[in-house]
Amino acid sequence: MTAVDGALAVLRAMVAIADSTVERNTGQLTLTQFRTLRAVDGHTPVTMGRVADELALNPSTVTRACDRLAAMDLVQRAENPLNKRETLLAPTAKGRRLVNRVDEDRRRELATVLDRLDAETRATVITAFARFAAAASETTEEQLRTAKKSLSQADRK
């Protein structure tokens, strides 16, 4: 197994945990809708455009996700008083509780998996995860800067 194959296997396991915890705790939201809720919860208040940028999604996808979240009373929308063309998003108390419930479920699932490892392996894995997350964040930030620069250049043409 190559390093990339090993990382891909870990990715599949993590996605399975992400999917199952969203399904188990919401039963009604897609992973994209939940990711939208998480982004709103993490940056309150936030514009739809910023959520779309953060998640690297088309703004219309975020709008549809927010329509669903608002219908379920998980987010609330308001006109931005500083820019009437923008809509501000904030989670409702119900939305915050849902994000917290999914996070706790994920923590339990991950703890169960990590507990199956011996202490030395667990410590190595935790260190590797931290380093991987840091490297992925740097890559994501660089990709975002590159994408924004490309969009800005395209807008000027």
Side-chain angles (χ1 to χ4, degrees), residues 51-135:
V51 172
D53 286 347
E54 179 178 327
L55 300 177
L57 293 173
N58 186 305
S60 65
T61 301
V62 172
T63 299
R64 285 190 305 277
C66 288
D67 288 345
R68 176 79 170 131
L69 295 170
M72 295 177 69
D73 190 36
L74 297 172
V75 298
Q76 54 191 354
R77 294 180 275 201
E79 184 178 273
N80 184 348
L82 302 176
N83 182 346
K84 305 278 187 218
R85 294 177 298 168
E86 292 181 334
T87 299
L88 295 175
L89 304 165
T92 62
K94 181 179 174 184
R96 282 194 177 101
R97 284 192 304 271
L98 179 59
V99 169
N100 290 336
R101 198 167 56 240
V102 170
D103 281 350
E104 285 304 313
D105 194 12
R106 287 176 175 173
R107 283 185 183 93
R108 281 189 301 275
E109 287 230 12
L110 291 169
T112 298
V113 173
L114 291 169
D115 286 346
R116 293 180 190 143
L117 305 172
D118 63 79
E120 185 179 336
T121 303
R122 184 173 39 253
T124 301
V125 167
I126 290 168
T127 299
F129 280 169
R131 288 180 180 160
F132 184 88

Side-chain angles (χ1 to χ4, degrees), residues 1 12 21 36 49 52 65 74 77 85 90 92 101 117 119 137 150 154-155:
M1 178 182 283
R12 286 185 189 119
T21 55
T36 301
L74 297 172
R77 294 180 275 201
R85 294 177 298 168
T92 62
R101 198 167 56 240
L117 305 172
S137 290
S150 295
D155 286 344

Side-chain angles (χ1 to χ4, degrees), residues 129-147:
F129 280 169
R131 288 180 180 160
F132 184 88
S137 290
E138 290 172 12
T139 300
T140 301
E141 290 300 317
E142 181 59 32
Q143 288 171 336
L144 261 174
R145 282 192 294 274
T146 301

